[in-house]
Amino acid sequence: MTDNMMQSSAKSCRRVLSRLSSISTARNKSYISTTANNSGGCFHYPHHVPHASTSIIARHPAQRCLPILPPLRSLSSAETPLETPPHSQPPLHPRRLPIHPEIDSVIFSEELIQARVAELGRLIGQDYELSDLLVLGVLKGAFMFTTDLVRYIYPYPASLEVDFLKASSYGSGTTSSGVVQLDSSFKKEAVRDKHVLLVEDIIDTGHTLSHLVTLMRDAGASSVRVAVLLDKKARRSTPFQADFTGFECPDEFIVGYGIDYAEKYRNLPYIGSVKKEFIKHD
């Protein structure tokens, strides 16, 4: 009786082990099939991989080591990377960039500028909620202000177009020349019957913006208003008042946030004054 019981028990164990092995193999094949179908073209299994279950069942499902072929490089199929490269993961709290060595002091910080631009965007959005708006940035100084401002315009206008024109009265010096130079590629018909918002970096003498507003009206714009980031009232020679103003600016030659001195410093995220030894006076 004892021998028969032992033989029967051994047979039962073998049946249980065989059943468990079958279940494990079926689950592993199902996992491989599901991963291959849901990976966005990254895993490819053109045929059954021998002994795949051996390398899978020994690991936790989140750490399974699947034998894979190199991903196909095709524009017709999306590719999901196996792992995001460390260099593509920006830190959650990036360190602030050091102050440029040629900057004497920061007048308007990056955080202050962004907060004020957001406020201006809300004010503009309230005034143009039901209008077809053409935002016309004045190059080059207002390129950064313009691109940030349009992202904050809310409530959304009925439609919003963005364009740029090139106008300058500075050249490479530190004072306005009084002669407004316009890019010949600007087409006046682009503003006809449209609500135009001129976006400028700074009002100095007021001559440039006064000239541009007159030009837009003569071209047939439905309305013309002006948004400026900085207002340097101490230099005003032509009476002019902007409709939307970011900050009143001290009477210093400032740079940064798109504003340059001889094509330098446009890339700075803040606005500051340049050290005197780096300024060449006219």
Side-chain angles (χ1 to χ4, degrees):
M1 291 294 292
T2 304
D3 293 341
N4 291 336
M5 292 178 62
M6 292 180 62
Q7 291 176 3
S8 177
S9 177
K11 289 180 180 180
S12 298
C13 290
R14 284 195 294 269
R15 284 196 300 268
V16 172
L17 290 174
S18 177
R19 179 58 177 166
L20 290 175
S21 179
S22 299
I23 293 174
S24 177
T25 302
R27 287 179 176 175
N28 291 331
K29 288 182 179 180
S30 175
Y31 176 79
I32 293 173
S33 175
T34 302
T35 306
N37 293 332
N38 297 336
S39 61
C42 188
F43 294 164
H44 303 277
Y45 295 92
H47 53 77
H48 176 66
V49 182
H51 309 297
S53 61
T54 304
S55 62
I56 295 175
I57 60 175
R59 297 172 180 268
H60 187 276
Q63 299 176 340
R64 285 171 175 166
C65 179
L66 295 176
I68 62 172
L69 297 177
L72 295 178
R73 297 294 179 181
S74 172
L75 295 178
S76 61
S77 61
E79 294 184 10
T80 304
L82 294 178
E83 182 180 336
T84 305
H87 63 269
S88 67
Q89 300 178 359
L92 294 178
H93 303 285
R95 292 190 304 172
R96 182 179 297 180
L97 296 176
I99 303 300
H100 194 286
E102 297 178 10
I103 296 299
D104 184 39
S105 63
V106 174
I107 300 175
F108 301 106
S109 68
E110 179 180 2
E111 294 81 5
L112 184 61
I113 293 172
Q114 291 301 318
R116 183 55 179 157
V117 173
E119 291 177 351
L120 292 177
R122 298 298 186 268
L123 294 173
I124 293 169
Q126 292 172 8
D127 287 357
Y128 289 97
E129 184 175 1
L130 302 177
S131 304
D132 297 321
L133 178 61
L134 170 61
V135 178
L136 199 55
V138 182
L139 296 174
K140 297 180 185 178
F143 83 93
M144 196 175 292
F145 177 39
T146 303
T147 53
D148 280 348
L149 181 64
V150 295
R151 295 188 299 117
Y152 289 115
I153 293 179
Y154 183 84
Y156 300 123
S159 68
L160 192 154
E161 298 179 50
V162 181
D163 204 348
F164 293 89
L165 64 82
K166 195 170 185 179
S168 175
S169 62
Y170 277 87
S172 61
T174 62
T175 58
S176 177
S177 64
V179 179
V180 179
Q181 300 175 350
L182 289 179
D183 188 354
S184 59
S185 64
F186 175 72
K187 306 298 182 184
K188 293 182 179 180
E189 55 268 22
V191 303
R192 185 173 298 129
D193 299 325
K194 295 183 179 179
H195 296 284
V196 176
L197 178 67
L198 284 169
V199 180
E200 180 63 292
D201 54 351
I202 185 170
I203 303 179
D204 194 328
T205 63
H207 184 71
T208 300
L209 277 173
S210 178
H211 180 86
L212 289 178
V213 169
T214 301
L215 179 65
M216 296 298 113
R217 289 173 177 165
D218 292 344
S222 297
S223 67
V224 184
R225 301 177 80 182
V226 176
V228 297
L229 181 62
L230 303 174
D231 188 353
K232 190 182 291 186
K233 292 183 178 180
R235 294 290 186 92
R236 192 83 83 250
S237 60
T238 300
F240 189 88
Q241 181 65 43
D243 300 281
F244 305 95
T245 302
F247 305 99
E248 186 171 338
C249 182
D251 189 13
E252 299 180 44
F253 193 79
I254 47 85
V255 295
Y257 196 65
I259 304 171
D260 78 303
Y261 166 57
E263 297 301 325
K264 297 173 62 178
Y265 314 112
R266 291 191 193 275
N267 58 303
L268 302 181
Y270 49 81
I271 293 175
S273 59
V274 182
K275 293 179 180 178
K276 293 182 179 179
E277 58 264 32
F278 295 102
I279 297 177
K280 297 179 181 180
H281 295 279
D282 298 335

